[in-house]
Amino acid sequence: MMQETEQMREARQALQMLSASDPAASANMLRYVTAYALMLSGRRGRDRKGNEPQFGAGFVLMHGDERLCAAAARRSGTDYIYIAFDVDDASAPPVAAGVFHRQGDEMYAYGNCRLWSPADDGRAILVPTGPGEHIGYFAFQQGRPLKLVEAPLPGDAQAGFRRAETRMQRLLGSGVVRAVHGQGYLHVLQSRDGEIYADSFKAAA
């Protein structure tokens, strides 16, 4: 990948801010964050308890952005579920989801995660589907960090992915998800002199 210059980085961040300031885009991102939280925990992300993971949305991570997210998650002491959108079309469905998960003293990033739903319509799980050996899946635990279950899926993979997509679309059209419009915040992470800073703004309504 081509080395990103300071000028290129500033232009990329300006485009991200412009996209996030679009009310339709920010509303779409908030709806998906809420839907993910409901599917995994049964509650909205803002209703998290104890050491449960944080839910957030942003744009596709590149040029070291994932290190900023990992550092922020490490500082907060919680796992972080990141839902990534295309900066040029943030009103569309997300293009990816990932998990920043603490293991010991290290924070590991798991990309290309997909929601999988059981046949009984219970809580969904997150399945890393990137290249390489199957590592298992992440399951929600009340009041605690995500649990990495190193075992096969508890059912057919493709059927569970289809059920999750069907449930996601149902939630996105529900009143509880549509009602979150304008209730979130935009956090812009930056690295300054080796320290992580976050500038926060109210999401466009």
Side-chain angles (χ1 to χ4, degrees), residues 13 17 75 185-192 196-202:
Q13 290 180 342
M17 291 297 293
R75 188 172 67 177
Y185 286 83
L186 171 67
H187 305 287
V188 180
L189 297 178
Q190 296 183 16
S191 177
R192 304 172 190 161
I196 304 299
Y197 293 87
D199 296 321
S200 300
F201 308 89
K202 189 79 167 60

Side-chain angles (χ1 to χ4, degrees), residues 122-164:
R123 286 181 185 167
I125 56 179
L126 267 176
V127 185
T129 61
E133 185 177 355
H134 173 70
I135 64 160
Y137 56 88
F138 289 101
F140 181 85
Q141 302 182 102
Q142 186 168 334
R144 302 174 61 189
L146 291 170
K147 181 179 181 180
L148 177 57
V149 181
E150 297 178 343
L153 289 172
D156 181 76
Q158 295 306 316
F161 293 147
R162 288 193 297 269
R163 285 191 295 266

Side-chain angles (χ1 to χ4, degrees), residues 86-105:
D86 183 345
V87 69
D88 293 317
D89 192 12
S91 296
V95 296
V99 173
F100 292 89
H101 177 62
R102 180 184 288 277
Q103 292 175 245
D105 294 330

Side-chain angles (χ1 to χ4, degrees), residues 35-42 55 81 115 123-126 138 140:
Y36 263 77
L38 286 168
M39 289 184 66
L40 289 165
S41 72
F55 293 82
I81 297 171
L115 289 166
R123 286 181 185 167
I125 56 179
L126 267 176
F138 289 101
F140 181 85

Side-chain angles (χ1 to χ4, degrees), residues 15 24-25 27-28 33 45 61 64 66 72-73 86 92-93 97-98 100 106 122 141 189:
L15 177 60
N28 182 58
V33 168
L61 300 176
E66 66 279 0
D86 183 345
F100 292 89
E106 299 295 328
Q141 302 182 102
L189 297 178

